[in-house]
Amino acid sequence: MPTTVPSADPFSAAPPQLRAALARQGFTSLTAVQRAVLDAESAGRDLRISSQTGSGKTVALGLLLAPSLVTEGAARTAARRPAGPAALLIAPTRELAVQVGAELRWLYADLSGVAVAVVTGGTDPVRERSTLERGPAFVVGTPGRLLDHIRRGALDVSGVAHVVLDEADQMLDMGFREDLDAIVDHLPAERRAHLVSATFPPAVRALAGRFQPNALHVEGTRLGAANEDIAHVAHLVRPTDRYATLVNLLLRSLGQRTLVFVRRRVDATEVAERLTEDGFSAAAFSGELSQVQRTRTLHAFRNGTLQALISTDVAARGIDIPGISSVVHLDLPTDGATYTHRSGRTGRAGQKGLSVLLVPTTEHRRVEQLFARAPFELSWQPPPTAAEVRKAHTKRTRRRLHGLLDASADPQREESGGDVVEATTPGSGDPPLDKHREYAKRLLEERDATEVVAALLALSEPPLPRDPIAIEAVRASGPRERDRRPPRHRGDDGRRRSHQKPRGAPRKGKRFDKKTHASRSQRP
DNA sequence: AAAAAAG
């Protein structure tokens, strides 16, 4: 959230035509990365923008490009050149492209003649084609479809003045390499190229040189700075208890949105199906789904119809869904960067968030290595027990009761809560307690007050979708029984002298690297 | 090593 700065015009650094849009969107000041991008030094340079997720990088970019979009657009209209876009933004997933496009649209709402088009796979190419024919100044898209339009002549990128790679570290990764090169081959040589990413590990920086021989590095929030709103918790569980732990976690946070990450598409589908059978409101999200399904599912998660979304890493980056109270890593992330991106889906816009790692005992050591240099504290805790889950449920019911009582005492007061999934709060209409008041008086005359309240509490506690599951706690550093090797020799005190060989050497480039993330000792 | 991205 932008912090308020007492100033005549908090947006004085922004292009004048965009200030009204910023105010309409509820901005009260520019974020660090936005101010940094608008700094005079940035003029005319290729930028390498690194900043924490959710820090307003897209808007920063929009602010940067707006003036030249207006100028280029006008120049090309005057010259009667074919109306290809002046700016191109390439994103690694379809949903991200859509989201970025939407953000640029509200930002450019007052810029007449500057339209934003989004082109992605999974949608009707003919409709996109006709959108492109209208000559949008800014085109946002995913690599495959962009290239498709370019090759078919539907998209003329010869007039592109700015090309932007969003989530640049991933875009420069192997999988996107070919398409990206092919697109860039069509761009004019004199274009400016901007890379946007949370992190720029050495491997990415090496590749980045091909796009930006002489880039200016712009840092919004300090590289690797931790989001203080996110708590990081690890539960050590037996591999067979992972699903049970997930069930307990979901029961504990019933009524709140949880994003669950798994490794493979098939896992997403299977876990979602199993959760649904267990009475949860859950769905899978992965590249296995049709685009229609993907959009529909994400919408259902956004509007609160779904409590849990079980996703592959397709949703790990950039996706902004308000109100995700926790992220669960059912499968461990492959590396530090993936962990950071996944976790960044919670704790957004100043809200508190929880990131929970389910660590199979077999992976204990690897996880400790992975997080040894993380810029935050990973808190190892026993998984939630069945008793804790039930207690949380009772507490939740009592909180709703207090909400009702407070609302009844003071109707002006906003209902507290934050429960987004279940219809836990009565709809606005008649004051909810009115029709019960007469009977309540009679009941209290006839019965013992404590008994009446206790009975009502019992009645008001909704049934859980399913019973919480007993999970056996695992000792934090104990090797599994079958991993234990016979002691080689014992000392006089009978204790083992030799320890087993560390399993698995640290993997190169997989950890929270000093180059990509600040280490803990560098924390302010 | 998997996922994503073009049908």
Side-chain angles (χ1 to χ4, degrees), chain A residues 82 207 220 237 254 263 293 358 431 472 506:
Chain A
L207 289 170
V237 293
L254 218 56
R263 203 165 53 97
Q293 274 298 329
L358 302 195
E472 203 179 316

Side-chain angles (χ1 to χ4, degrees), chain A residues 94-301:
Chain A
R94 298 165 180 176
E95 284 75 15
L96 201 53
V98 169
Q99 185 180 295
V100 167
E103 197 144 18
L104 291 172
R105 275 188 194 126
W106 68 250
L107 185 65
Y108 290 160
D110 302 329
L111 276 191
S112 56
V114 178
V116 180
V118 176
V119 298
T120 70
T123 62
D124 181 5
V126 181
R127 271 184 60 180
E128 283 184 354
R129 223 186 146 99
S130 65
T131 307
L132 292 174
E133 275 164 16
R134 272 175 249 138
F138 206 133
V139 172
V140 179
T142 45
R145 184 58 67 89
L146 278 171
L147 191 56
D148 201 33
H149 284 307
I150 292 171
R151 285 185 172 150
R152 289 168 196 270
L155 177 59
D156 170 18
V157 291
S158 63
V160 165
H162 297 267
V163 59
V164 182
L165 302 193
D166 199 7
E167 302 293 344
D169 60 329
Q170 192 184 6
M171 295 303 306
L172 294 172
D173 203 28
M174 280 304 285
F176 288 109
R177 184 71 174 273
E178 260 180 57
D179 283 354
L180 208 57
D181 283 344
I183 294 172
V184 170
D185 281 347
H186 287 86
L187 299 176
E190 70 275 15
R191 86 283 187 277
R192 285 166 67 188
H194 311 294
L195 304 190
V196 184
S197 183
T199 62
F200 286 95
V204 173
R205 288 204 300 269
L207 289 170
R210 298 188 308 130
F211 295 92
Q212 328 172 286
N214 183 24
L216 176 69
H217 200 149
V218 176
E219 224 172 285
T221 45
R222 204 171 44 79
L223 210 57
N227 178 345
E228 300 288 339
D229 289 324
I230 304 175
H232 303 266
V233 170
H235 296 310
L236 192 64
V237 293
R238 300 153 177 282
T240 49
D241 276 344
R242 284 185 323 138
Y243 180 76
T245 309
L246 173 63
V247 164
N248 284 7
L249 287 168
L250 288 176
L251 290 173
R252 195 178 68 180
S253 64
L254 218 56
Q256 294 178 306
R257 256 170 276 189
T258 301
L259 179 55
V260 180
F261 283 106
V262 292
R263 203 165 53 97
R264 302 175 307 168
R265 297 157 162 220
V266 55
D267 301 318
T269 309
E270 281 175 14
V271 172
E273 273 172 11
R274 203 166 162 195
L275 286 172
T276 307
E277 281 168 21
D278 272 329
F280 291 97
S281 160
F285 186 74
S286 81
E288 195 173 83
L289 276 60
S290 72
Q291 192 52 39
V292 172
Q293 274 298 329
R294 273 167 75 158
T295 307
R296 197 177 290 161
T297 301
L298 208 58
H299 184 253
F301 190 50

